[in-house]
Amino acid sequence: VSATGMVEISSPFSPAAGSTQAHTGLVSTVATAHGKVVSGEAASDDPKIKLWQLDSTTLREIGAVSVPEALTGILSCDIMVDGRAALFLSADGGVVHWDLRADSVSFLDLSTHLDGDVTCMKQQETDLFVGSDSIAVFDLRMGSKPPKLRASLADAGCARSLDVAESKALFGAKAGLVGVTDFNADPPVTTTHKIHAAPVRTARYTSAGVVSAAGPRILSTLSLGASEAAWTQTMSTDVVALASTPRCRLTSCGTADGRVAVFDASSGTCVAQCKPYQGATWGLTHCLSTDTLVSCGDSAIHVFRPQAYVALSSPVL
């Protein structure tokens, strides 16, 4: 870290040769699982969602669908761990369900069952967690029927991001709050902790606890109730995306000025950084089986070789 507190790194780090692929519009989100990558576009007259085959560090387009139901743009996407289906959340609260095996697309209107604007989602097996002024859990097998579980966020306000592990939904919210809603409890229990001075843009589970970002600041804690941070880093501009992979203890961030940075999740050491985009880096995802990093921004998707950063991170114990 430099004397000014800004992250600096000299390690060579750039997208793999031939790995860049493009949409015609702004790529707003990306996800990966089971050797596949899905991506979605921001608002346009003809927004598209795409499916890619990820071979080592090469992307090959194998499917594309226009989604006129999502003219307001795709906010986020997710893909089932077995690669059989992908989900895309539109800015107006609808969810596009793409059955990748049957190559069929259906549209789920969940907005009527939610409080306030729909802002984020995360899939776990057949459950879809959707964030707004509450967090609701939908059974994907039941289509657009009401949620089977719901938890109010009360004073926390609107959830701005969601991550899920073992039915515990981690969210970032206004007033510097990061919280967890435990859907294993009956009724679900929500706890929040104020760990930032600014509204929290995103929060993720990591192998070392929880990492969250508000403005340009990234903060990692061993747990939400920890009395002090394990580490903090400050980027040159606001952090808009976070990703993590437990396999080799990595946390990655994307920033408003188009940077991608990779950190050791335990120590906070920045092991690699580059600037592949003119605009913001809107999405990041790690392939769990290979630790390959995929990012999106502008009209492009980039793939980074794990050899550029995995050897510099802490080994898995």
Side-chain angles (χ1 to χ4, degrees):
V1 181
S2 71
T4 62
M6 300 301 177
V7 172
E8 294 180 347
I9 192 73
S10 58
S11 300
F13 180 54
S14 61
S19 73
T20 303
Q21 296 291 343
H23 281 248
T24 54
L26 173 67
V27 188
S28 54
T29 181
V30 66
T32 183
H34 204 65
K36 294 182 174 64
V37 173
V38 292
S39 56
E41 294 181 6
S44 70
D45 294 334
D46 183 27
K48 286 185 172 61
I49 54 178
K50 289 192 175 187
L51 173 67
W52 314 81
Q53 182 67 47
L54 177 60
D55 300 316
S56 181
T57 53
T58 300
L59 276 179
R60 177 171 52 89
E61 183 180 327
I62 56 176
V65 177
S66 293
V67 281
E69 300 92 344
L71 291 178
T72 51
I74 301 295
L75 287 179
S76 65
C77 65
D78 206 354
I79 183 170
M80 293 185 176
V81 292
D82 60 3
R84 61 192 169 107
L87 300 160
F88 301 81
L89 176 66
S90 67
D92 59 4
V95 173
V96 178
H97 181 275
W98 188 359
D99 187 324
L100 301 178
R101 292 178 176 175
D103 196 22
S104 62
V105 174
S106 57
F107 189 75
L108 310 177
D109 184 4
L110 307 181
S111 60
T112 56
H113 305 306
L114 298 167
D115 305 314
D117 295 333
V118 178
T119 54
C120 49
M121 71 168 189
K122 188 67 177 177
Q123 173 266 334
Q124 178 184 267
E125 297 180 353
T126 60
D127 289 337
L128 180 64
F129 294 72
V130 180
S132 58
D133 291 343
S134 62
I135 298 176
V137 185
F138 295 86
D139 187 333
L140 290 170
R141 297 167 297 184
M142 303 302 291
S144 297
K145 291 189 176 181
K148 64 179 187 178
L149 294 169
R150 184 200 299 267
S152 171
L153 299 185
D155 295 337
C158 184
R160 306 184 74 191
S161 68
L162 272 180
D163 198 13
V164 179
E166 299 177 348
S167 295
K168 295 180 180 180
L170 174 71
F171 63 90
K174 67 177 184 179
L177 296 174
V178 177
V180 171
T181 298
D182 186 353
F183 284 96
N184 297 302
D186 185 16
V189 175
T190 297
T191 57
T192 59
H193 301 268
K194 182 175 175 59
I195 59 176
H196 289 276
V200 177
R201 176 64 180 259
T202 180
R204 291 287 182 268
Y205 288 113
T206 74
S207 59
V210 171
V211 65
S212 57
R217 183 171 180 247
I218 305 171
L219 183 147
S220 175
T221 57
L222 297 179
S223 67
L224 283 183
S227 59
E228 59 184 38
W231 56 266
T232 63
Q233 289 281 16
T234 303
M235 302 301 291
S236 56
T237 57
D238 286 357
V239 175
V240 296
L242 285 174
S244 64
T245 175
R247 210 174 77 94
C248 65
R249 300 179 182 270
L250 293 174
T251 293
S252 302
C253 82
T255 64
D257 65 350
R259 295 182 186 276
V260 173
V262 182
F263 301 89
D264 183 299
S266 298
S267 67
T269 301
C270 186
V271 298
Q273 184 179 186
C274 68
K275 189 179 183 302
Y277 305 110
Q278 295 298 312
T281 302
W282 289 112
L284 290 169
T285 182
H286 282 276
C287 178
L288 293 181
S289 60
T290 65
D291 303 310
T292 299
L293 175 63
V294 182
S295 67
C296 68
D298 301 335
S299 61
I301 303 169
H302 291 98
V303 180
F304 297 87
R305 289 189 179 92
Q307 294 85 348
Y309 46 85
V310 168
L312 301 174
S313 64
S314 298
V316 175
L317 301 178

PDB file of all heavy atoms in Angstrom, residues 206-208 211 218 220 230-233 245 248-252 261-272 309-316:
ATOM      1  N   THR A 206     -16.127 -14.912   2.453  1.00  0.00           N
ATOM      2  CA  THR A 206     -14.814 -15.352   1.984  1.00  0.00           C
ATOM      3  C   THR A 206     -14.326 -16.492   2.876  1.00  0.00           C
ATOM      4  O   THR A 206     -14.938 -16.808   3.896  1.00  0.00           O
ATOM      5  CB  THR A 206     -13.766 -14.217   2.029  1.00  0.00           C
ATOM      6  OG1 THR A 206     -13.380 -13.984   3.396  1.00  0.00           O
ATOM      7  CG2 THR A 206     -14.311 -12.934   1.431  1.00  0.00           C
ATOM      8  N   SER A 207     -13.187 -17.074   2.505  1.00  0.00           N
ATOM      9  CA  SER A 207     -12.588 -18.122   3.328  1.00  0.00           C
ATOM     10  C   SER A 207     -12.105 -17.576   4.659  1.00  0.00           C
ATOM     11  O   SER A 207     -11.878 -18.331   5.602  1.00  0.00           O
ATOM     12  CB  SER A 207     -11.412 -18.753   2.580  1.00  0.00           C
ATOM     13  OG  SER A 207     -10.435 -17.772   2.283  1.00  0.00           O
ATOM     14  N   ALA A 208     -11.944 -16.244   4.746  1.00  0.00           N
ATOM     15  CA  ALA A 208     -11.439 -15.614   5.970  1.00  0.00           C
ATOM     16  C   ALA A 208     -12.518 -14.838   6.708  1.00  0.00           C
ATOM     17  O   ALA A 208     -12.213 -14.045   7.590  1.00  0.00           O
ATOM     18  CB  ALA A 208     -10.262 -14.694   5.630  1.00  0.00           C
ATOM     19  N   VAL A 211     -16.138  -9.926   3.628  1.00  0.00           N
ATOM     20  CA  VAL A 211     -15.531  -8.733   3.058  1.00  0.00           C
ATOM     21  C   VAL A 211     -16.642  -7.855   2.513  1.00  0.00           C
ATOM     22  O   VAL A 211     -17.639  -8.341   1.979  1.00  0.00           O
ATOM     23  CB  VAL A 211     -14.497  -9.091   1.953  1.00  0.00           C
ATOM     24  CG1 VAL A 211     -15.173  -9.762   0.757  1.00  0.00           C
ATOM     25  CG2 VAL A 211     -13.718  -7.865   1.515  1.00  0.00           C
ATOM     26  N   ILE A 218     -12.425  -1.062   1.192  1.00  0.00           N
ATOM     27  CA  ILE A 218     -12.718  -2.487   1.349  1.00  0.00           C
ATOM     28  C   ILE A 218     -12.323  -2.885   2.759  1.00  0.00           C
ATOM     29  O   ILE A 218     -11.244  -2.536   3.244  1.00  0.00           O
ATOM     30  CB  ILE A 218     -11.935  -3.343   0.345  1.00  0.00           C
ATOM     31  CG1 ILE A 218     -12.186  -2.872  -1.085  1.00  0.00           C
ATOM     32  CG2 ILE A 218     -12.301  -4.810   0.468  1.00  0.00           C
ATOM     33  CD1 ILE A 218     -11.277  -3.537  -2.099  1.00  0.00           C
ATOM     34  N   SER A 220     -12.328  -6.213   5.606  1.00  0.00           N
ATOM     35  CA  SER A 220     -12.507  -7.639   5.860  1.00  0.00           C
ATOM     36  C   SER A 220     -12.549  -7.889   7.355  1.00  0.00           C
ATOM     37  O   SER A 220     -11.746  -7.340   8.115  1.00  0.00           O
ATOM     38  CB  SER A 220     -11.355  -8.439   5.241  1.00  0.00           C
ATOM     39  OG  SER A 220     -11.464  -9.813   5.570  1.00  0.00           O
ATOM     40  N   ALA A 230      -9.961  -7.263  10.160  1.00  0.00           N
ATOM     41  CA  ALA A 230      -8.773  -8.066   9.891  1.00  0.00           C
ATOM     42  C   ALA A 230      -7.830  -7.287   8.979  1.00  0.00           C
ATOM     43  O   ALA A 230      -6.612  -7.320   9.158  1.00  0.00           O
ATOM     44  CB  ALA A 230      -9.169  -9.395   9.252  1.00  0.00           C
ATOM     45  N   TRP A 231      -8.394  -6.594   7.993  1.00  0.00           N
ATOM     46  CA  TRP A 231      -7.617  -5.710   7.120  1.00  0.00           C
ATOM     47  C   TRP A 231      -8.540  -4.764   6.372  1.00  0.00           C
ATOM     48  O   TRP A 231      -9.733  -5.020   6.246  1.00  0.00           O
ATOM     49  CB  TRP A 231      -6.747  -6.486   6.126  1.00  0.00           C
ATOM     50  CG  TRP A 231      -7.445  -7.467   5.231  1.00  0.00           C
ATOM     51  CD1 TRP A 231      -7.614  -8.804   5.440  1.00  0.00           C
ATOM     52  CD2 TRP A 231      -8.057  -7.201   3.954  1.00  0.00           C
ATOM     53  NE1 TRP A 231      -8.286  -9.384   4.398  1.00  0.00           N
ATOM     54  CE2 TRP A 231      -8.572  -8.428   3.457  1.00  0.00           C
ATOM     55  CE3 TRP A 231      -8.213  -6.051   3.176  1.00  0.00           C
ATOM     56  CZ2 TRP A 231      -9.231  -8.526   2.239  1.00  0.00           C
ATOM     57  CZ3 TRP A 231      -8.871  -6.158   1.949  1.00  0.00           C
ATOM     58  CH2 TRP A 231      -9.380  -7.388   1.496  1.00  0.00           C
ATOM     59  N   THR A 232      -7.971  -3.663   5.913  1.00  0.00           N
ATOM     60  CA  THR A 232      -8.694  -2.713   5.066  1.00  0.00           C
ATOM     61  C   THR A 232      -7.790  -2.303   3.911  1.00  0.00           C
ATOM     62  O   THR A 232      -6.558  -2.331   4.021  1.00  0.00           O
ATOM     63  CB  THR A 232      -9.124  -1.440   5.833  1.00  0.00           C
ATOM     64  OG1 THR A 232      -7.954  -0.750   6.284  1.00  0.00           O
ATOM     65  CG2 THR A 232     -10.003  -1.786   7.021  1.00  0.00           C
ATOM     66  N   GLN A 233      -8.411  -1.937   2.806  1.00  0.00           N
ATOM     67  CA  GLN A 233      -7.700  -1.390   1.655  1.00  0.00           C
ATOM     68  C   GLN A 233      -8.532  -0.247   1.099  1.00  0.00           C
ATOM     69  O   GLN A 233      -9.770  -0.240   1.229  1.00  0.00           O
ATOM     70  CB  GLN A 233      -7.498  -2.442   0.564  1.00  0.00           C
ATOM     71  CG  GLN A 233      -6.492  -3.515   0.883  1.00  0.00           C
ATOM     72  CD  GLN A 233      -5.044  -3.053   0.695  1.00  0.00           C
ATOM     73  OE1 GLN A 233      -4.768  -1.847   0.612  1.00  0.00           O
ATOM     74  NE2 GLN A 233      -4.131  -3.999   0.606  1.00  0.00           N
ATOM     75  N   THR A 245     -13.201 -16.491  -3.764  1.00  0.00           N
ATOM     76  CA  THR A 245     -13.136 -17.931  -3.980  1.00  0.00           C
ATOM     77  C   THR A 245     -12.435 -18.554  -2.782  1.00  0.00           C
ATOM     78  O   THR A 245     -11.318 -18.157  -2.430  1.00  0.00           O
ATOM     79  CB  THR A 245     -12.400 -18.304  -5.281  1.00  0.00           C
ATOM     80  OG1 THR A 245     -12.278 -19.720  -5.343  1.00  0.00           O
ATOM     81  CG2 THR A 245     -11.044 -17.666  -5.394  1.00  0.00           C
ATOM     82  N   CYS A 248      -8.531 -20.928  -2.880  1.00  0.00           N
ATOM     83  CA  CYS A 248      -7.155 -20.455  -2.675  1.00  0.00           C
ATOM     84  C   CYS A 248      -7.119 -19.103  -1.991  1.00  0.00           C
ATOM     85  O   CYS A 248      -6.194 -18.329  -2.179  1.00  0.00           O
ATOM     86  CB  CYS A 248      -6.387 -20.420  -3.983  1.00  0.00           C
ATOM     87  SG  CYS A 248      -7.025 -19.241  -5.170  1.00  0.00           S
ATOM     88  N   ARG A 249      -8.187 -18.794  -1.226  1.00  0.00           N
ATOM     89  CA  ARG A 249      -8.182 -17.606  -0.370  1.00  0.00           C
ATOM     90  C   ARG A 249      -7.976 -16.317  -1.155  1.00  0.00           C
ATOM     91  O   ARG A 249      -7.065 -15.542  -0.882  1.00  0.00           O
ATOM     92  CB  ARG A 249      -7.121 -17.738   0.724  1.00  0.00           C
ATOM     93  CG  ARG A 249      -7.321 -18.933   1.638  1.00  0.00           C
ATOM     94  CD  ARG A 249      -6.210 -19.017   2.681  1.00  0.00           C
ATOM     95  NE  ARG A 249      -6.353 -20.171   3.532  1.00  0.00           N
ATOM     96  CZ  ARG A 249      -7.036 -20.194   4.675  1.00  0.00           C
ATOM     97  NH1 ARG A 249      -7.663 -19.108   5.071  1.00  0.00           N
ATOM     98  NH2 ARG A 249      -7.097 -21.287   5.403  1.00  0.00           N
ATOM     99  N   LEU A 250      -8.833 -16.079  -2.116  1.00  0.00           N
ATOM    100  CA  LEU A 250      -8.743 -14.866  -2.917  1.00  0.00           C
ATOM    101  C   LEU A 250      -9.997 -14.018  -2.776  1.00  0.00           C
ATOM    102  O   LEU A 250     -11.104 -14.537  -2.666  1.00  0.00           O
ATOM    103  CB  LEU A 250      -8.558 -15.206  -4.397  1.00  0.00           C
ATOM    104  CG  LEU A 250      -7.254 -15.870  -4.801  1.00  0.00           C
ATOM    105  CD1 LEU A 250      -7.310 -16.266  -6.267  1.00  0.00           C
ATOM    106  CD2 LEU A 250      -6.067 -14.942  -4.549  1.00  0.00           C
ATOM    107  N   THR A 251      -9.809 -12.699  -2.795  1.00  0.00           N
ATOM    108  CA  THR A 251     -10.902 -11.737  -2.894  1.00  0.00           C
ATOM    109  C   THR A 251     -10.546 -10.766  -4.013  1.00  0.00           C
ATOM    110  O   THR A 251      -9.412 -10.285  -4.073  1.00  0.00           O
ATOM    111  CB  THR A 251     -11.091 -10.972  -1.578  1.00  0.00           C
ATOM    112  OG1 THR A 251     -11.555 -11.862  -0.577  1.00  0.00           O
ATOM    113  CG2 THR A 251     -12.108  -9.843  -1.747  1.00  0.00           C
ATOM    114  N   SER A 252     -11.482 -10.489  -4.901  1.00  0.00           N
ATOM    115  CA  SER A 252     -11.237  -9.584  -6.015  1.00  0.00           C
ATOM    116  C   SER A 252     -12.218  -8.427  -5.970  1.00  0.00           C
ATOM    117  O   SER A 252     -13.338  -8.567  -5.463  1.00  0.00           O
ATOM    118  CB  SER A 252     -11.379 -10.316  -7.351  1.00  0.00           C
ATOM    119  OG  SER A 252     -10.485 -11.400  -7.411  1.00  0.00           O
ATOM    120  N   ALA A 261      -8.688  -5.770  -9.215  1.00  0.00           N
ATOM    121  CA  ALA A 261      -7.605  -6.039  -8.270  1.00  0.00           C
ATOM    122  C   ALA A 261      -7.900  -7.337  -7.533  1.00  0.00           C
ATOM    123  O   ALA A 261      -9.052  -7.657  -7.244  1.00  0.00           O
ATOM    124  CB  ALA A 261      -7.451  -4.891  -7.275  1.00  0.00           C
ATOM    125  N   VAL A 262      -6.846  -8.102  -7.234  1.00  0.00           N
ATOM    126  CA  VAL A 262      -6.967  -9.377  -6.540  1.00  0.00           C
ATOM    127  C   VAL A 262      -6.181  -9.289  -5.233  1.00  0.00           C
ATOM    128  O   VAL A 262      -5.023  -8.856  -5.227  1.00  0.00           O
ATOM    129  CB  VAL A 262      -6.435 -10.540  -7.392  1.00  0.00           C
ATOM    130  CG1 VAL A 262      -6.615 -11.863  -6.668  1.00  0.00           C
ATOM    131  CG2 VAL A 262      -7.133 -10.585  -8.742  1.00  0.00           C
ATOM    132  N   PHE A 263      -6.823  -9.707  -4.119  1.00  0.00           N
ATOM    133  CA  PHE A 263      -6.222  -9.636  -2.796  1.00  0.00           C
ATOM    134  C   PHE A 263      -6.134 -11.012  -2.166  1.00  0.00           C
ATOM    135  O   PHE A 263      -6.969 -11.883  -2.417  1.00  0.00           O
ATOM    136  CB  PHE A 263      -7.065  -8.745  -1.870  1.00  0.00           C
ATOM    137  CG  PHE A 263      -7.240  -7.335  -2.351  1.00  0.00           C
ATOM    138  CD1 PHE A 263      -8.303  -7.005  -3.173  1.00  0.00           C
ATOM    139  CD2 PHE A 263      -6.337  -6.348  -1.989  1.00  0.00           C
ATOM    140  CE1 PHE A 263      -8.470  -5.706  -3.630  1.00  0.00           C
ATOM    141  CE2 PHE A 263      -6.498  -5.049  -2.439  1.00  0.00           C
ATOM    142  CZ  PHE A 263      -7.565  -4.723  -3.261  1.00  0.00           C
ATOM    143  N   ASP A 264      -5.120 -11.196  -1.327  1.00  0.00           N
ATOM    144  CA  ASP A 264      -5.080 -12.346  -0.448  1.00  0.00           C
ATOM    145  C   ASP A 264      -6.175 -12.128   0.598  1.00  0.00           C
ATOM    146  O   ASP A 264      -6.165 -11.134   1.322  1.00  0.00           O
ATOM    147  CB  ASP A 264      -3.703 -12.444   0.212  1.00  0.00           C
ATOM    148  CG  ASP A 264      -3.563 -13.666   1.088  1.00  0.00           C
ATOM    149  OD1 ASP A 264      -4.349 -13.773   2.054  1.00  0.00           O
ATOM    150  OD2 ASP A 264      -2.680 -14.492   0.834  1.00  0.00           O
ATOM    151  N   ALA A 265      -7.142 -13.049   0.686  1.00  0.00           N
ATOM    152  CA  ALA A 265      -8.289 -12.847   1.564  1.00  0.00           C
ATOM    153  C   ALA A 265      -7.919 -12.838   3.037  1.00  0.00           C
ATOM    154  O   ALA A 265      -8.634 -12.263   3.853  1.00  0.00           O
ATOM    155  CB  ALA A 265      -9.344 -13.922   1.303  1.00  0.00           C
ATOM    156  N   SER A 266      -6.803 -13.454   3.392  1.00  0.00           N
ATOM    157  CA  SER A 266      -6.396 -13.511   4.793  1.00  0.00           C
ATOM    158  C   SER A 266      -5.627 -12.274   5.234  1.00  0.00           C
ATOM    159  O   SER A 266      -5.889 -11.721   6.307  1.00  0.00           O
ATOM    160  CB  SER A 266      -5.531 -14.759   5.043  1.00  0.00           C
ATOM    161  OG  SER A 266      -6.266 -15.934   4.778  1.00  0.00           O
ATOM    162  N   SER A 267      -4.699 -11.816   4.401  1.00  0.00           N
ATOM    163  CA  SER A 267      -3.831 -10.706   4.798  1.00  0.00           C
ATOM    164  C   SER A 267      -4.232  -9.368   4.204  1.00  0.00           C
ATOM    165  O   SER A 267      -3.833  -8.323   4.711  1.00  0.00           O
ATOM    166  CB  SER A 267      -2.390 -11.006   4.380  1.00  0.00           C
ATOM    167  OG  SER A 267      -2.278 -11.014   2.957  1.00  0.00           O
ATOM    168  N   GLY A 268      -5.014  -9.378   3.097  1.00  0.00           N
ATOM    169  CA  GLY A 268      -5.363  -8.136   2.424  1.00  0.00           C
ATOM    170  C   GLY A 268      -4.304  -7.648   1.457  1.00  0.00           C
ATOM    171  O   GLY A 268      -4.447  -6.584   0.845  1.00  0.00           O
ATOM    172  N   THR A 269      -3.224  -8.419   1.286  1.00  0.00           N
ATOM    173  CA  THR A 269      -2.169  -8.028   0.348  1.00  0.00           C
ATOM    174  C   THR A 269      -2.710  -8.040  -1.083  1.00  0.00           C
ATOM    175  O   THR A 269      -3.323  -9.021  -1.508  1.00  0.00           O
ATOM    176  CB  THR A 269      -0.981  -8.993   0.446  1.00  0.00           C
ATOM    177  OG1 THR A 269      -0.475  -8.976   1.773  1.00  0.00           O
ATOM    178  CG2 THR A 269       0.124  -8.602  -0.527  1.00  0.00           C
ATOM    179  N   CYS A 270      -2.475  -6.964  -1.826  1.00  0.00           N
ATOM    180  CA  CYS A 270      -2.886  -6.910  -3.222  1.00  0.00           C
ATOM    181  C   CYS A 270      -1.846  -7.640  -4.058  1.00  0.00           C
ATOM    182  O   CYS A 270      -0.682  -7.232  -4.120  1.00  0.00           O
ATOM    183  CB  CYS A 270      -3.024  -5.461  -3.686  1.00  0.00           C
ATOM    184  SG  CYS A 270      -3.683  -5.296  -5.357  1.00  0.00           S
ATOM    185  N   VAL A 271      -2.242  -8.742  -4.682  1.00  0.00           N
ATOM    186  CA  VAL A 271      -1.288  -9.569  -5.422  1.00  0.00           C
ATOM    187  C   VAL A 271      -1.309  -9.291  -6.918  1.00  0.00           C
ATOM    188  O   VAL A 271      -0.399  -9.704  -7.634  1.00  0.00           O
ATOM    189  CB  VAL A 271      -1.530 -11.064  -5.165  1.00  0.00           C
ATOM    190  CG1 VAL A 271      -1.330 -11.393  -3.695  1.00  0.00           C
ATOM    191  CG2 VAL A 271      -2.932 -11.489  -5.600  1.00  0.00           C
ATOM    192  N   ALA A 272      -2.331  -8.607  -7.410  1.00  0.00           N
ATOM    193  CA  ALA A 272      -2.402  -8.298  -8.843  1.00  0.00           C
ATOM    194  C   ALA A 272      -3.426  -7.202  -9.074  1.00  0.00           C
ATOM    195  O   ALA A 272      -4.425  -7.105  -8.365  1.00  0.00           O
ATOM    196  CB  ALA A 272      -2.783  -9.539  -9.644  1.00  0.00           C
ATOM    197  N   TYR A 309      -1.919 -14.867 -10.310  1.00  0.00           N
ATOM    198  CA  TYR A 309      -2.138 -14.397  -8.940  1.00  0.00           C
ATOM    199  C   TYR A 309      -2.259 -15.507  -7.896  1.00  0.00           C
ATOM    200  O   TYR A 309      -1.984 -15.277  -6.729  1.00  0.00           O
ATOM    201  CB  TYR A 309      -3.391 -13.517  -8.864  1.00  0.00           C
ATOM    202  CG  TYR A 309      -4.590 -14.094  -9.590  1.00  0.00           C
ATOM    203  CD1 TYR A 309      -5.432 -15.000  -8.974  1.00  0.00           C
ATOM    204  CD2 TYR A 309      -4.878 -13.743 -10.901  1.00  0.00           C
ATOM    205  CE1 TYR A 309      -6.529 -15.536  -9.638  1.00  0.00           C
ATOM    206  CE2 TYR A 309      -5.962 -14.265 -11.572  1.00  0.00           C
ATOM    207  CZ  TYR A 309      -6.795 -15.169 -10.935  1.00  0.00           C
ATOM    208  OH  TYR A 309      -7.868 -15.696 -11.597  1.00  0.00           O
ATOM    209  N   VAL A 310      -2.634 -16.720  -8.294  1.00  0.00           N
ATOM    210  CA  VAL A 310      -2.858 -17.783  -7.306  1.00  0.00           C
ATOM    211  C   VAL A 310      -1.582 -18.104  -6.540  1.00  0.00           C
ATOM    212  O   VAL A 310      -1.608 -18.298  -5.314  1.00  0.00           O
ATOM    213  CB  VAL A 310      -3.420 -19.051  -7.984  1.00  0.00           C
ATOM    214  CG1 VAL A 310      -3.379 -20.231  -7.017  1.00  0.00           C
ATOM    215  CG2 VAL A 310      -4.840 -18.810  -8.447  1.00  0.00           C
ATOM    216  N   ALA A 311      -0.442 -18.156  -7.198  1.00  0.00           N
ATOM    217  CA  ALA A 311       0.809 -18.516  -6.528  1.00  0.00           C
ATOM    218  C   ALA A 311       1.207 -17.495  -5.476  1.00  0.00           C
ATOM    219  O   ALA A 311       1.995 -17.801  -4.575  1.00  0.00           O
ATOM    220  CB  ALA A 311       1.929 -18.654  -7.560  1.00  0.00           C
ATOM    221  N   LEU A 312       0.656 -16.276  -5.559  1.00  0.00           N
ATOM    222  CA  LEU A 312       1.032 -15.223  -4.632  1.00  0.00           C
ATOM    223  C   LEU A 312       0.119 -15.163  -3.417  1.00  0.00           C
ATOM    224  O   LEU A 312       0.367 -14.402  -2.488  1.00  0.00           O
ATOM    225  CB  LEU A 312       1.007 -13.864  -5.356  1.00  0.00           C
ATOM    226  CG  LEU A 312       1.931 -13.757  -6.564  1.00  0.00           C
ATOM    227  CD1 LEU A 312       1.706 -12.430  -7.267  1.00  0.00           C
ATOM    228  CD2 LEU A 312       3.379 -13.895  -6.145  1.00  0.00           C
ATOM    229  N   SER A 313      -0.955 -15.940  -3.416  1.00  0.00           N
ATOM    230  CA  SER A 313      -1.897 -15.903  -2.294  1.00  0.00           C
ATOM    231  C   SER A 313      -1.549 -16.983  -1.267  1.00  0.00           C
ATOM    232  O   SER A 313      -0.733 -17.855  -1.505  1.00  0.00           O
ATOM    233  CB  SER A 313      -3.332 -16.128  -2.792  1.00  0.00           C
ATOM    234  OG  SER A 313      -3.472 -17.403  -3.347  1.00  0.00           O
ATOM    235  N   SER A 314      -2.194 -16.881  -0.098  1.00  0.00           N
ATOM    236  CA  SER A 314      -1.930 -17.863   0.962  1.00  0.00           C
ATOM    237  C   SER A 314      -2.430 -19.236   0.557  1.00  0.00           C
ATOM    238  O   SER A 314      -3.501 -19.345  -0.038  1.00  0.00           O
ATOM    239  CB  SER A 314      -2.635 -17.429   2.259  1.00  0.00           C
ATOM    240  OG  SER A 314      -2.138 -16.193   2.709  1.00  0.00           O
ATOM    241  N   PRO A 315      -1.679 -20.301   0.863  1.00  0.00           N
ATOM    242  CA  PRO A 315      -2.173 -21.649   0.526  1.00  0.00           C
ATOM    243  C   PRO A 315      -3.362 -22.033   1.377  1.00  0.00           C
ATOM    244  O   PRO A 315      -3.525 -21.559   2.493  1.00  0.00           O
ATOM    245  CB  PRO A 315      -0.954 -22.535   0.853  1.00  0.00           C
ATOM    246  CG  PRO A 315      -0.211 -21.771   1.906  1.00  0.00           C
ATOM    247  CD  PRO A 315      -0.393 -20.309   1.559  1.00  0.00           C
ATOM    248  N   VAL A 316      -4.189 -22.894   0.843  1.00  0.00           N
ATOM    249  CA  VAL A 316      -5.320 -23.412   1.595  1.00  0.00           C
ATOM    250  C   VAL A 316      -4.811 -24.410   2.615  1.00  0.00           C
ATOM    251  O   VAL A 316      -4.031 -25.307   2.288  1.00  0.00           O
ATOM    252  CB  VAL A 316      -6.337 -24.079   0.669  1.00  0.00           C
ATOM    253  CG1 VAL A 316      -7.456 -24.719   1.480  1.00  0.00           C
ATOM    254  CG2 VAL A 316      -6.911 -23.064  -0.315  1.00  0.00           C
TER     255      VAL A 316
END
